[in-house]
Amino acid sequence: MRLNADFQARVAITPDQYRWVASPTPGVERMMLDRIGEEVARATSLVRYAPNSVFPPHEHGGGEEILVLEGEFADEHGAYPAGCYLRNPIGTAHAPRVGASGALIFVKLHQFEAADTTRTVIDTRDGPWADGPVAGIETLPLHAFGDERVRLERWAPNTRGGERDLPGGGEYLVLEGVLEDAEGAYPAGTWLRLPPGGRHAPGTGEAGARVYVKTGHLPPA
C-alpha cells in the first residue's frame, strides 16, 4: 500500500475526510494518514481503541511514536492518559490495552533513526511551557535527535508566527482550536504535512490553537 507516499507533496486531511477502517484486531480501527507497506509499514495514523480492547504483543521493528489524544492508553509498562507522549525505540515491545474509556492515539511507525534509542514518556499536561519564537506562541519540547524536532505549540488568538523554513519538511496535528495559513483554515483533528525545502507561515484567528509539530524528519527530494 502507498498512501500519501510522495513526501514532496503537501497533504492536508481534515476530520470530515476521515475514513476509519478496521484493523486485524477486533475493537481497533485506523484512520490512515500516510503509509508505505502493508501490515508492517512506515505509517502515520490515528488509531481508535474501543473500550476494554487489547492489541497483540508486538515488537517495534522501526520504532513507535505515540501521542494520546483521548481516553487512556496502557500497556504492561504503565497507563498513559490523554496528553501523554511516548517514544518506543527500535527493538522494544509491548502489549497495548485500554480500559472502559477507550482511547484515541496518534501513531507514527517505522520512522526512527537506528541510533535514536531513548524510550520517552512525557505527560504534557504538566508542562513546562516556554516562550516561543514570537509573542503569542508557547512551546513544549518533546524530542530532539539529529535534525528531527518534536514539540507542542500553544498559540494565542490572532497570532502570526512568521515564515518558517522547513529544510526537512514539517508536520502538524491540530489538537485544539484552528490553525491557519495562506491556503486554508485547519480545525482540530486536521493533519497537515509540508514537503522538505519549503516555507510555511502559520497563524491563528479568534480561536487560537494547540498543535503537535514535527520538523526535520522527511526525506529530501
Side-chain angles (χ1 to χ4, degrees), residues 68-83:
V68 184
L69 303 177
E70 298 176 9
E72 184 176 84
F73 180 75
D75 59 20
E76 65 269 38
H77 308 296
Y80 316 102

Side-chain angles (χ1 to χ4, degrees), residues 12 18 22 37-38 49 56 66 86 89 133 141 148-150 156 158-159 171 205 221:
Y18 286 3
E38 301 304 323
Y49 284 79
I66 294 173
L86 314 174
E148 179 182 321
R149 299 291 183 271
V150 185
N158 302 309
T159 297
E171 194 171 333

Side-chain angles (χ1 to χ4, degrees), residues 7 17 19 29-30 37 54 57 60 62 66 77 102 111 117 119 126 136 140 150-151 154 156 161 163 208 212 214 218:
F7 298 114
Q17 297 172 297
R19 299 294 182 268
E29 297 177 296
R30 296 180 291 207
V54 298
H60 305 119
I66 294 173
H77 308 296
Q111 298 176 45
T117 59
R119 183 174 186 268
D126 297 336
L140 177 55
V150 185
R151 61 190 180 275
R154 192 161 59 188
E163 281 203 323
Y212 159 99
K214 187 182 183 82
L218 296 178

